[in-house]
Amino acid sequence: MIEVEVHQQLRAFLREQGEPYWSHHLTMARLVARALRIGRSALIQTGAPSGYHGRYRLSYLVPILMWKGSVIVVAPESVQQRLLMVEIPRLRQWIDTPKPIRTGDRWVSPDFEGILLTTPEAWLSDRLNGEGRFPTGIPTIVDGVDDLERWVRDQLTINLQASDWNDLMLACPQHTDEIRDARVQLTKAIFHHPANPYECYLIEQPEQEILDALHQVLPSSLPVNWEHFFRQAQTEGQLVWAVIARQLGQFSLHCAPTEIASSLTDIWSQQPTVLIGGALDLDSDAATYRQKIGLSDDLTCLKFSLDRQDDLIQLYQPEGVPMPNTPQFQGALLQELRSLLSASTAVQGLSVILIGDMPLKAQVGTVLASEFGSRVQVERTCLDDNGILVTGWEFWREHQSVLPAPHLLAIATLPIPSLENPLVAGRVAYYKKLRQDWFRLYLFPEALSELQRAIAPVRECQGVVALLDSRVIHRSYGNQVLAALSPLARINYLDASLFTHFHTTSWQD
């Protein structure tokens, strides 16, 4: 049976290579092998976000190399390159298999019996739009489903840029004046909104009426982008918004579904799918995550725990910090950051300060730069060895893989999506309309996912995470936040000895 063969081969390979020990390698490999054999889908949480080490990938590569049938692996190009240049060549020296491996945005040929690596964009575009580029029924591994919702939203979002207005006038020359007038009216209406840090605004009734009036005078045959936009914008449950480039005096229009589950439900029945992510849900059955992406109950769910010895973080959580929504918070935050940075100066290493609030991020960056000099940079990757990076969540998520693991990660507030962001407010309004718990189903899971992803590099060196949001202490959901951060050792003091372990670990690495 393939599960036994995979277990034996992987165990022997790990012993021979002296591979860094991950206690769940064999269990995960057997589960993937079983999914291939019986054609049953599975959802696997590896414990840490998928970019963190990628240490689990051997656990699905061995089964798909040994499996006699065809397999599709859906993974970002950066992951594909790692698989093709490092992981697969190592395994092929150990596992004698002639199985062909190809990359591409469509199935190779009807008689191809091998492994095809493709991107999430190519695979989702095919499945969502019925393009027929990938056959049904072929077992599929989707690696990195921490980002699945973002991938799907990117595919389902219709975007109209400045160039699309020119295309529309070229396609409908007899309506050039109406198109130009509508564009001018929309520009005035959209720029009339009060400025916000996100530079985006939900399309409200006045703007919608301008678009509707334009649509009524246009012919039925339009450029594809416009056809899709008008059709989708008139569908129930859509978010329509504008993003402005204030200095250029331009705007772009966007339309996307508020929820993605209904778009994905039919996809999962087209083939056995093994979805692999890091920290998708607090619970092993991932009920909230499955609801969000339209997964049925008919699949195997497994969640691996992190290793307390190798993945431990030191958590500093001071009491007495004012609530984030009070005037006293900024002063207390700066005082805590000064203490943390002073305690960490004894060792070389990167310090990261995560602040989601855009104005607060700029203010903190300015104050700390005046005290700590050029060591402080706001959202830049060119940093000193002993640099201090002040950053928002998105920048850190995009660049943490190319930056050194920080010995200190200070978190000002939990990354709960802000209701001041019009797109967040629009999604919350959708949940309220359905009388659903918008905090439990949307805001809180988003925060936990972002939090777990952000601290993953700190686990490499068992560094210090400072959580300065006192809501974790005083709110009922605080225990769930701590569960998401586990394994951890709580500390209530600050001195240089806290960072000594990081210094030793970094030197040994």
Side-chain angles (χ1 to χ4, degrees):
M1 194 161 60
I2 186 171
E3 291 99 308
V4 176
E5 296 172 4
V6 164
H7 180 101
Q8 293 173 344
Q9 285 279 17
L10 179 55
R11 183 176 61 182
F13 173 80
L14 293 172
R15 287 177 175 173
E16 176 69 21
Q17 299 293 315
E19 196 69 21
Y21 183 68
W22 185 50
S23 56
H24 307 300
H25 263 314
L26 299 177
T27 303
M28 179 170 165
R30 288 196 303 270
L31 178 60
V32 174
R34 180 175 180 271
L36 295 173
R37 180 174 61 84
I38 67 176
R40 178 179 171 84
S41 293
L43 177 65
I44 302 174
Q45 299 186 68
T46 62
S50 53
Y52 172 58
H53 291 319
R55 57 186 180 181
Y56 57 82
R57 293 192 175 112
L58 288 175
S59 302
Y60 71 73
L61 286 174
V62 172
I64 65 176
L65 284 170
M66 296 181 63
W67 174 246
K68 291 182 171 53
S70 300
V71 179
I72 295 173
V73 175
V74 179
E77 289 186 358
S78 58
V79 174
Q80 291 185 35
Q81 289 303 308
R82 170 78 185 180
L83 298 181
L84 291 169
M85 304 299 293
V86 180
E87 308 293 1
I88 291 176
R90 282 198 304 161
L91 284 172
R92 278 195 141 165
Q93 293 177 357
W94 182 264
I95 301 173
D96 183 18
T97 172
K99 200 167 194 175
I101 298 171
R102 299 282 292 273
T103 61
D105 64 354
R106 63 198 65 232
W107 193 243
V108 181
S109 64
D111 59 350
F112 178 70
E113 294 186 356
I115 298 170
L116 176 69
L117 304 181
T118 192
T119 63
E121 293 78 14
W123 188 75
L124 285 169
S125 176
D126 175 79
R127 286 297 186 253
L128 290 167
N129 302 313
E131 296 165 353
R133 291 185 283 115
F134 298 98
T136 59
I138 297 177
T140 300
I141 309 285
V142 184
D143 186 354
V145 295
D146 308 85
D147 292 314
L148 179 62
E149 186 174 8
R150 178 175 58 82
W151 295 338
V152 174
R153 288 192 184 280
D154 287 347
Q155 289 294 319
L156 296 177
T157 300
I158 307 297
N159 306 295
L160 293 178
Q161 307 294 340
S163 59
D164 288 292
W165 288 92
N166 298 329
D167 293 342
L168 185 61
M169 287 188 279
L170 289 172
C172 309
Q174 69 276 30
H175 297 289
T176 299
D177 290 340
E178 293 97 325
I179 296 168
R180 187 178 291 114
D181 289 345
R183 188 178 185 181
V184 170
Q185 292 175 44
L186 278 173
T187 302
K188 290 181 178 178
I190 291 169
F191 275 77
H192 187 67
H193 287 281
N196 69 47
Y198 306 95
E199 296 288 28
C200 71
Y201 307 90
L202 292 178
I203 293 298
E204 297 180 350
Q205 190 63 31
E207 294 98 337
Q208 189 60 54
E209 290 174 356
I210 296 170
L211 287 168
D212 290 342
L214 175 62
H215 190 202
Q216 288 173 8
V217 302
L218 294 175
S220 56
S221 179
L222 298 172
V224 173
N225 248 14
W226 283 95
E227 283 188 9
H228 289 171
F229 180 84
F230 282 129
R231 182 170 63 249
Q232 187 163 315
Q234 293 169 354
T235 306
E236 185 71 19
Q238 301 291 313
L239 280 182
V240 185
W241 72 96
V243 175
I244 66 171
R246 201 169 290 275
Q247 291 183 337
L248 298 175
Q250 294 181 349
F251 68 89
S252 56
L253 294 173
H254 310 267
C255 180
T258 310
E259 56 84 24
I260 62 170
S262 57
S263 300
L264 291 174
T265 300
D266 292 340
I267 289 179
W268 309 127
S269 61
Q270 295 181 34
Q271 69 286 307
T273 311
V274 178
L275 298 104
I276 304 172
L280 308 173
D281 200 305
L282 282 179
D283 299 322
S284 58
D285 65 353
T288 301
Y289 180 80
R290 286 190 290 106
Q291 178 181 341
K292 185 165 60 175
I293 65 167
L295 267 177
S296 70
D297 296 334
D298 186 25
L299 80 168
T300 303
C301 293
L302 187 64
K303 181 176 183 177
F304 295 117
S305 58
L306 292 173
D307 185 88
R308 183 164 183 82
Q309 181 175 346
D310 296 332
D311 298 311
L312 182 79
I313 60 167
Q314 301 178 83
L315 179 66
Y316 173 64
Q317 193 180 10
E319 296 188 11
V321 177
M323 287 289 192
N325 59 348
T326 63
Q328 296 78 23
F329 176 71
Q330 181 172 337
L333 172 66
L334 284 167
Q335 188 57 46
E336 288 290 346
L337 293 175
R338 291 186 186 100
S339 300
L340 285 161
L341 294 172
S342 298
S344 66
T345 54
V347 294
Q348 289 285 101
L350 176 65
S351 300
V352 175
I353 300 169
L354 271 170
I355 304 176
D357 182 272
M358 294 183 186
L360 180 60
K361 176 177 63 184
Q363 292 162 8
V364 169
T366 300
V367 172
L368 293 181
S370 69
E371 299 178 17
F372 293 90
S374 60
R375 287 176 58 199
V376 179
Q377 299 291 333
V378 178
E379 297 195 342
R380 295 188 61 185
T381 54
C382 296
L383 301 165
D384 295 340
D385 292 340
N386 203 27
I388 300 169
L389 174 64
V390 181
T391 176
W393 295 88
E394 184 176 354
F395 183 90
W396 177 240
R397 184 191 332 129
E398 292 176 357
H399 296 92
Q400 67 186 59
S401 61
V402 298
L403 290 168
H407 67 172
L408 167 65
L409 180 71
I411 298 170
T413 58
L414 293 173
I416 298 173
S418 172
L419 292 174
E420 294 180 2
N421 184 334
L423 299 185
V424 173
R427 289 181 64 182
V428 167
Y430 174 80
Y431 282 99
K432 287 182 177 179
K433 184 179 179 181
L434 297 178
R435 298 183 181 278
Q436 294 182 343
D437 187 340
W438 46 273
F439 184 79
R440 185 182 64 83
L441 294 176
Y442 169 38
L443 297 186
F444 192 55
E446 292 277 323
L448 292 184
S449 176
E450 192 77 65
L451 186 63
Q452 290 169 300
R453 184 181 299 219
I455 68 169
V458 188
R459 296 194 187 280
E460 296 180 23
C461 52
Q462 297 190 346
V464 175
V465 173
L467 185 53
L468 306 177
D469 190 334
S470 57
R471 289 176 294 182
V472 177
I473 298 173
H474 301 295
R475 294 288 187 262
S476 59
Y477 54 75
N479 286 335
Q480 291 175 284
V481 173
L482 296 178
L485 293 173
S486 295
L488 59 88
R490 299 181 74 167
I491 54 178
N492 55 12
Y493 63 94
L494 291 174
D495 61 42
S497 65
L498 289 174
F499 302 95
T500 305
H501 179 76
F502 170 86
H503 180 68
T504 304
T505 304
S506 301
W507 181 81
Q508 288 178 339
D509 287 346

